[in-house]
Amino acid sequence: LGDVYKRQVSHEVEHIEMLTIQECAEEFKGLTQNTIRQLVRQGKIKYIRTGEGRNGKILVNKTSLAEYLSNNL
């Protein structure tokens, strides 16, 4: 019963890569940290904020940023 149950509920989980603002600027040459922050503020790319307030770190979804750039450049 255990193996049957595992097969029924097992499914692939998509790997989501998150980058800091600095890592985005390093990965995507030509983008400044300020530009990436602006895209975040405008809601044009997916991100999460860890922590609270100004001390919270912004983590950007790498795929979202790449898709935005490929569709808008």
Side-chain angles (χ1 to χ4, degrees):
L1 181 63
D3 289 335
V4 172
Y5 179 73
K6 285 179 186 174
R7 275 183 268 156
Q8 289 176 346
V9 297
S10 71
H11 48 83
E12 264 186 59
V13 176
E14 183 182 336
H15 176 75
I16 299 172
E17 188 171 358
M18 304 297 283
L19 302 174
T20 65
I21 298 287
Q22 181 177 350
E23 289 170 335
C24 288
E26 292 170 359
E27 180 94 12
F28 296 91
K29 304 295 183 209
L31 282 184
T32 66
Q33 291 183 32
N34 286 336
T35 299
I36 297 161
R37 283 189 192 92
Q38 186 176 18
L39 293 173
V40 165
R41 276 193 301 275
Q42 294 171 349
K44 294 185 176 181
I45 56 177
K46 295 178 184 177
Y47 72 96
I48 59 171
R49 182 182 293 273
T50 62
E52 294 184 22
R54 296 186 61 82
N55 294 329
K57 187 174 288 263
I58 294 172
L59 297 176
V60 174
N61 180 298
K62 182 178 178 181
T63 303
S64 174
L65 179 56
E67 287 174 355
Y68 174 82
L69 294 173
S70 69
N71 292 330
N72 291 284
L73 293 181

